[in-house]
Amino acid sequence: MRRIFIVIFLILTIAYPVNALELTAPQVPEFAEEFMPPEPQNLQEGIRAVLLQALQHIRPDLKSASSVCISITAVMMLMSILRTVPGSHERVTNLAGALAISLLLLNTSGSMINLAAETVRQISEYGKLLLPVMTAALAAQGGLTSSAAIYAGTALFDTLLSSLISSILIPMVYFYLAMSVAGCAIGEDMLKKCRDAIKWLMTWVLKTILYIFTGYITVTGVVSGTTDASALKAAKLTISGVVPVVGGILSDASEAILVSAGAVKNTAGIYGLFAVMAIWIGPFLKIGTHYLMFRITGIMCSIFGGKGVSELIQDFSSALGLLLGMTGALCLMLLISLICFMRGVA
């Protein structure tokens, strides 16, 4: 009698995935719909389509960044001319140039910082909607332990990283820029050391969280995946051997249900991958375009002299690089999690 109850419980556990067949990935936000692939396709073609869609919208950003960089170059040329004027004070010239360039860069950098913060929020919110779907789909396929482990880890690290970015790292970018502007204007080495320390700390935080997350996913994925695979194999063998006459049929039926649940999981996972990339790719390219243009402008402006002002331009470029790291880290974390869900039971 006890064995019959165990078998019934195992059948119900495996049959639970029938409801998962109705699960679908949440709809991508409206602003990201234009970056989605036009029709379902394999992963490689879909990624290429998302990238091509995003590159078609890069021209306005390139034009905006070029306009700012041309203005900066003009200021640097004017500073170079003023240094050659007899009686001019180089310190005053550098101070005026630093303030003029800071005003040009702060407006653009401020909008990029706000864009990065909004992108982090959008990715995090979409992940909160998508992860339960993937968890239920993997559990429906039989990966009860795996789904719980991946969901718990991803939800924890997603919340931790997004909160750190919004509450601490984004304000630290403003502080980093303030130290850069002050260091360039005053020429104080202590301010430059504070600037470098802030940059190192932000970089260290992002890398550390990603290292810990990937380590957690690797360890729990191997252990829980093996556990789920062993449990499913034992359950199907028990059903086949214990239930008289129709045991083999029930075992085959449970296999079909698991395959069907796996198809649902992979469909939602593929859509989720594209959706996360669509949310992230537009802002990433926008910030990346300004990052590259500022970097190139800083190198070109070093020709006109004024090492401190050239470093200031590079510092603004580095700030945008930190924003790219923040948005990229959160996006990568969610993509790794989705891939782990799609791998299913080991």
Side-chain angles (χ1 to χ4, degrees):
M1 191 69 178
R2 181 182 176 185
R3 295 180 67 184
I4 294 176
F5 279 118
I6 293 175
V7 170
I8 294 174
F9 172 77
L10 291 173
I11 292 174
L12 292 176
T13 301
I14 297 177
Y16 168 76
V18 172
N19 290 329
L21 299 178
E22 300 177 1
L23 294 174
T24 56
Q27 186 70 26
V28 67
E30 289 185 10
F31 72 91
E33 286 182 354
E34 57 185 342
F35 301 123
M36 290 291 287
E39 58 185 18
Q41 47 200 309
N42 63 50
L43 184 60
Q44 184 176 358
E45 292 177 352
I47 293 175
R48 187 185 299 112
V50 171
L51 183 58
L52 290 176
Q53 292 280 356
L55 289 175
Q56 293 176 6
H57 296 76
I58 204 173
R59 183 176 297 178
D61 302 321
L62 188 59
K63 183 178 179 180
S64 174
S66 299
S67 177
V68 175
C69 292
I70 291 173
S71 300
I72 293 172
T73 305
V75 172
M76 291 295 293
M77 292 177 65
L78 180 60
M79 290 175 59
S80 179
I81 294 172
L82 289 176
R83 290 192 190 97
T84 63
V85 176
S88 64
H89 298 280
E90 184 174 354
R91 187 178 184 85
V92 175
T93 301
N94 288 337
L95 178 59
L99 292 176
I101 289 175
S102 298
L103 290 175
L104 288 171
L105 290 173
L106 281 173
N107 184 41
T108 301
S109 299
S111 63
M112 294 298 105
I113 292 172
N114 292 333
L115 176 62
E118 179 63 17
T119 302
V120 167
R121 186 185 68 82
Q122 291 285 354
I123 293 175
S124 181
E125 287 185 355
Y126 187 80
K128 288 179 174 65
L129 297 175
L130 179 61
L131 289 177
V133 174
M134 298 301 299
T135 302
L138 180 56
Q141 196 187 9
L144 298 175
T145 308
S146 299
S147 61
I150 297 173
Y151 176 80
T154 306
L156 172 63
F157 283 98
D158 175 85
T159 302
L160 174 62
L161 183 56
S162 59
S163 299
L164 279 175
I165 291 174
S166 301
S167 304
I168 298 177
L169 297 185
I170 290 293
M172 286 180 70
V173 173
Y174 284 110
F175 191 50
Y176 170 82
L177 292 177
M179 292 295 101
S180 299
V181 173
C184 177
I186 301 174
E188 179 63 45
D189 290 338
M190 183 58 67
L191 294 176
K192 295 180 180 180
K193 290 180 180 179
C194 290
R195 172 203 64 189
D196 294 337
I198 294 170
K199 180 180 178 180
W200 174 84
L201 180 60
M202 287 190 286
T203 304
W204 180 84
V205 168
L206 291 174
K207 288 183 177 179
T208 300
I209 292 178
L210 274 181
Y211 285 146
I212 297 175
F213 172 73
T214 52
Y216 169 85
I217 287 294
T218 300
V219 173
T220 57
V222 171
V223 174
S224 60
T226 303
T227 301
D228 286 333
S230 301
L232 282 175
K233 183 178 180 180
K236 285 186 281 188
L237 287 175
T238 303
I239 292 172
S240 180
V242 174
V243 182
V245 184
V246 296
I249 298 175
L250 289 177
S251 181
D252 293 340
S254 66
E255 183 70 28
I257 292 173
L258 295 178
V259 171
S260 179
V264 172
K265 176 197 67 179
N266 290 333
T267 300
I270 291 292
Y271 182 88
L273 284 172
F274 293 153
V276 172
M277 290 189 64
I279 296 171
W280 166 78
I281 191 66
F284 182 84
L285 290 180
K286 188 180 185 72
I287 299 172
T289 299
H290 287 78
Y291 165 79
L292 290 176
M293 292 299 295
F294 289 177
R295 182 69 68 182
I296 294 171
T297 303
I299 295 173
M300 291 178 59
C301 288
S302 62
I303 300 173
F304 301 107
K307 180 180 177 181
V309 180
S310 298
E311 287 182 354
L312 176 62
I313 301 172
Q314 297 288 359
D315 289 341
F316 273 87
S317 174
S318 298
L320 298 187
L322 290 169
L323 298 179
L324 293 175
M326 294 175 197
T327 56
L330 193 63
C331 177
L332 180 62
M333 182 184 296
L334 192 52
L335 292 178
I336 290 174
S337 177
L338 291 176
I339 291 172
C340 291
F341 274 117
M342 291 168 65
R343 282 183 64 244
V345 184

